[in-house]
């Protein structure tokens, strides 16, 4: 006797009632279970009450902004966050990713892209769990230690706090130290589709990761992709 898997739970946080309703209607039509909030405090409360698997989070909110929402909910438990922003300044995006957002879309956006991004984030969580179960032991590369079972990263003995996406990105590179991995391959492994985040978002995640583990550790091969330096070229 087969059972239907439960609908994935999504929390939509958007203060514009028209956008909030449109997102909700589309996600419900796509088979998601949707809860909603319209301001910062309401978002934190709704996240605690509904235990969403993905949060769609507007950056500009009354009460307190999406960055503070992200900080608070990630302090409770890691949850994938798709950030919506009317601003596309790189500094704003890096701050958002740094406090725990996994992906972002700038307004105006297409509803089908929101749905695709949410499904990609859900696949990433499943893939990370599979890798954790299959991990033989910590990966050690030139002073960097990555433990996929505990999702703990240290650099030269110091604990480095990574967002879920940063950890998974680093793990992909660490499994093949020194090898140049194509952008398409990284995006496919990380998010489950070869377009990844699009519009330079992978670059933004890499930049944020470099700031935490050391810029010299991640090498860019322009027009191709990235490599984790294994120290052999030192």
């Amino acid at each position: 006797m087969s059972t239907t898997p439960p609908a994935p739970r999504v929390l939509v946080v958007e203060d514009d009632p028209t956008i909030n309703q449109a997102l909700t209607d589309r996600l419900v039509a796509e088979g998601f279970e949707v809860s909603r909030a319209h301001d910062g405090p309401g978002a934190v409360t709704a996240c605690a009450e509904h235990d969403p698997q993905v949060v769609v989070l507007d950056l500009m909110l009354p009460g307190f902004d999406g960055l503070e929402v992200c900080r608070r909910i990630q302090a409770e438990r890691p949850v994938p966050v798709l950030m919506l922003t009317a601003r596309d300044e790189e500094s704003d995006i890096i701050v958002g990713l740094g406090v725990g957002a996994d992906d972002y879309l700038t307004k105006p956006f297409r509803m089908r892209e929101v749905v695709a991004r949410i499904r990609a984030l859900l696949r990433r969580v499943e893939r990370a769990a599979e890798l954790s179960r299959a991990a033989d032991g910590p990966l050690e590369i030139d002073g960097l230690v990555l433990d996929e079972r505990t999702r703990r990263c240290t650099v030269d003995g110091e604990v480095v706090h990574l967002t879920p996406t940063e950890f998974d990105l680093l793990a992909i590179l660490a499994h093949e130290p020194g090898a140049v991995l194509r952008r398409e391959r990284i995006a496919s492994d990380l998010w489950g589709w070869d377009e990844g985040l699009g519009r330079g978002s992978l670059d933004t995640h890499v930049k944020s990761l470099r700031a935490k583990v050391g810029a010299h550790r991640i090498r860019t091969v322009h027009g191709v992709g990235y490599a984790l330096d294994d120290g052999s070229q030192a």
Side-chain angles (χ1 to χ4, degrees), residues 4 23 30 54-55 58 78 87 91 102 116 145 164 186 213 224 233:
T4 303
L23 283 166
E30 293 284 346
V54 176
V55 177
D58 187 28
R87 307 181 301 198
S91 58
D102 297 87
V145 179
I186 296 171
V213 303
V224 181
Q233 300 183 22

Side-chain angles (χ1 to χ4, degrees), residues 119-169:
R119 294 196 189 282
L121 288 173
L122 289 169
R123 286 195 297 270
R124 194 216 75 202
V125 171
E126 292 174 1
R127 190 174 295 107
E130 291 172 0
L131 289 173
S132 176
R133 289 191 293 268
D136 293 327
L139 300 170
E140 300 184 30
I141 303 99
D142 192 31
L144 184 150
V145 179
L146 200 67
D147 190 330
E148 292 176 283
R149 290 186 182 275
T150 62
R151 295 186 68 81
R152 186 171 184 266
C153 175
T154 61
V155 175
D156 297 329
E158 298 291 328
V159 175
V160 177
H161 297 285
L162 303 178
T163 67
T165 297
E166 289 168 353
F167 186 96
D168 294 336
L169 171 58

Side-chain angles (χ1 to χ4, degrees), residues 3-199:
T3 57
T4 303
R9 300 180 307 278
V10 179
L11 170 63
V12 173
V13 186
E14 167 62 64
D15 66 322
D16 184 308
T18 301
I19 297 176
N20 193 310
Q21 189 64 57
L23 283 166
T24 299
D25 291 345
R26 179 59 181 267
L27 291 174
V28 169
E30 293 284 346
F32 294 95
E33 178 186 318
V34 181
S35 52
R36 300 195 287 171
H38 299 83
D39 57 29
V44 175
T45 299
C47 196
E49 291 178 350
H50 298 285
D51 191 29
Q53 293 166 272
V54 176
V55 177
V56 180
L57 177 63
D58 187 28
L59 186 60
M60 302 302 294
L61 293 169
F64 45 77
D65 65 16
L67 296 178
E68 183 59 25
V69 171
C70 200
R71 288 188 188 95
R72 295 192 186 194
I73 64 177
Q74 297 292 12
E76 295 300 319
R77 70 171 180 88
V79 57
V81 173
L82 171 60
M83 186 171 62
L84 305 178
T85 175
R87 307 181 301 198
D88 60 0
E89 290 291 331
E90 185 180 53
S91 58
D92 293 328
I93 294 167
I94 289 176
V95 170
L97 299 180
V99 297
D102 297 87
D103 193 357
Y104 72 89
L105 281 172
T106 54
K107 299 178 181 180
F109 49 79
R110 295 174 296 177
M111 288 295 175
R112 66 179 182 180
E113 189 169 10
V114 174
V115 173
R117 301 296 182 90
I118 290 173
R119 294 196 189 282
L121 288 173
L122 289 169
R123 286 195 297 270
R124 194 216 75 202
V125 171
E126 292 174 1
R127 190 174 295 107
E130 291 172 0
L131 289 173
S132 176
R133 289 191 293 268
D136 293 327
L139 300 170
E140 300 184 30
I141 303 99
D142 192 31
L144 184 150
V145 179
L146 200 67
D147 190 330
E148 292 176 283
R149 290 186 182 275
T150 62
R151 295 186 68 81
R152 186 171 184 266
C153 175
T154 61
V155 175
D156 297 329
E158 298 291 328
V159 175
V160 177
H161 297 285
L162 303 178
T163 67
T165 297
E166 289 168 353
F167 186 96
D168 294 336
L169 171 58
L170 184 57
I172 290 168
L173 297 172
H175 274 280
E176 300 183 52
V180 179
L181 304 185
R182 298 189 67 86
R183 295 170 56 87
E184 296 83 1
R185 151 78 186 285
I186 296 171
S188 179
D189 285 354
L190 194 54
W191 294 291
W193 59 330
D194 59 9
E195 292 182 11
L197 300 179
R199 292 185 296 179

